[in-house]
């Protein structure tokens, strides 16, 4: 005869969502949303205040646009670098190395996008009155944005062309190396066949 399982065993085996878990999840979402709004709002306020102070200096808006464009290009270069994108760049396929590379790549992406956020914070806000201090256009944002776009577009295009040229040269060298190896293999095969004859 088979023994019947106890009635309470089935209840213990299947996990149940408790009210306490649901309340914890809702609390986590609410607190997380409040933190995100606070961080983004605070960052926008800090960006507007610092931009207004920086743009007042003579020629600072033009120079700042170039500097921020360079920062974006450096961040982009780090994000697409082979050291961070290749699966085993350091020769060890350990999980810690993979995590560190992903964190470094994420930091490079943040560095590349932060100047865009800084520059856009100086533009007039949407759905608000232009005379509000938190929404008004910060004088000097236009020239900075213009130089930023020109720097990123021009230097980024040149860097992209150079990178493509380097990759194409590598492919040509690799094809040439494989062609030489095939020729050596064919030559050895012929000599062996000639020896056997």
């Amino acid at each position: 005869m088979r023994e019947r399982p106890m009635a309470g065993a089935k209840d213990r085996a299947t996990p149940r969502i408790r009210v306490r878990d649901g309340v914890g999840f809702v609390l986590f979402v609410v607190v997380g949303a409040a933190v995100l709004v606070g961080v983004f709002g605070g960052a926008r306020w800090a960006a507007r205040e610092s931009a207004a102070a920086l743009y007042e200096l003579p020629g600072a808006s033009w120079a700042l646009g170039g500097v921020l464009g360079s920062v974006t290009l450096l961040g982009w270069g780090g994000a697409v670098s082979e050291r961070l994108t290749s699966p085993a760049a350091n020769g060890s396929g350990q999980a810690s190395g993979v995590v560190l590379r992903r964190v470094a790549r994420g930091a490079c992406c943040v560095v590349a996008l932060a100047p865009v956020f800084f520059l856009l914070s100086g533009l007039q806000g949407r759905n608000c009155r232009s005379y509000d201090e938190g929404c008004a256009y910060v004088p000097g944002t236009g020239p900075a944005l213009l130089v930023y776009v020109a720097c990123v577009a021009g230097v980024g295009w040149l860097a992209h062309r150079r990178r493509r040229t380097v990759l194409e040269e590598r492919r040509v060298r690799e094809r040439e190396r494989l062609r030489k190896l095939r020729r050596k293999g064919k030559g050895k095969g012929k000599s062996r066949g000639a020896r056997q004859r």
Side-chain angles (χ1 to χ4, degrees):
M1 286 180 66
R2 292 182 185 175
E3 292 183 10
R4 291 183 181 177
M6 295 175 64
K10 186 178 180 185
D11 294 339
R12 277 185 251 133
T14 57
R16 280 195 245 169
I17 298 175
R18 297 180 182 148
V19 174
R20 185 173 54 194
D21 295 337
V23 170
F25 177 73
V26 170
L27 189 63
F28 173 76
V29 169
V30 169
V31 170
V35 168
L36 279 177
V37 168
V39 165
F40 280 111
R44 184 175 185 275
W45 175 83
R48 286 182 64 83
E49 293 297 318
S50 59
L54 285 171
Y55 294 153
E56 287 178 359
L57 301 171
S61 59
W62 300 94
L64 190 64
V67 169
L68 292 176
S70 303
V71 169
T72 293
L73 289 170
L74 288 173
W76 172 76
V80 298
S81 113
E82 290 182 16
R83 291 181 182 174
L84 298 180
T85 55
S86 60
N90 59 358
S92 68
Q94 296 178 354
S96 61
V98 172
V99 170
L100 285 175
R101 280 197 300 276
R102 286 182 181 168
V103 168
R105 196 167 179 203
C108 288
C109 290
V110 169
V111 167
L113 293 175
V116 178
F117 178 75
F118 179 83
L119 288 168
L120 292 180
S121 69
L123 296 176
Q124 183 177 341
R126 291 172 54 191
N127 302 325
C128 60
R129 294 175 294 277
S130 61
Y131 55 81
D132 288 344
E133 283 189 25
C135 294
Y137 169 79
V138 176
T141 303
L145 197 55
L146 182 67
V147 172
Y148 173 83
V149 169
C151 179
V152 169
V155 179
W157 181 75
L158 291 173
H160 177 68
R161 288 284 304 244
R162 184 181 178 282
R163 188 167 184 264
R164 281 184 59 188
T165 305
V166 168
L167 289 174
E168 189 59 37
E169 286 175 1
R170 279 188 199 163
R171 285 190 203 113
V172 168
R173 272 189 261 131
E174 185 65 21
R175 273 187 251 142
E176 196 61 36
R177 188 181 70 82
L178 289 173
R179 193 176 297 138
K180 286 179 182 177
L181 286 173
R182 281 191 218 118
R183 284 179 189 163
K184 285 181 182 177
K186 285 180 181 177
K188 287 179 183 176
K190 286 179 181 176
S191 61
R192 285 177 195 161
R195 285 178 195 165
Q196 288 175 357
R197 287 178 191 169

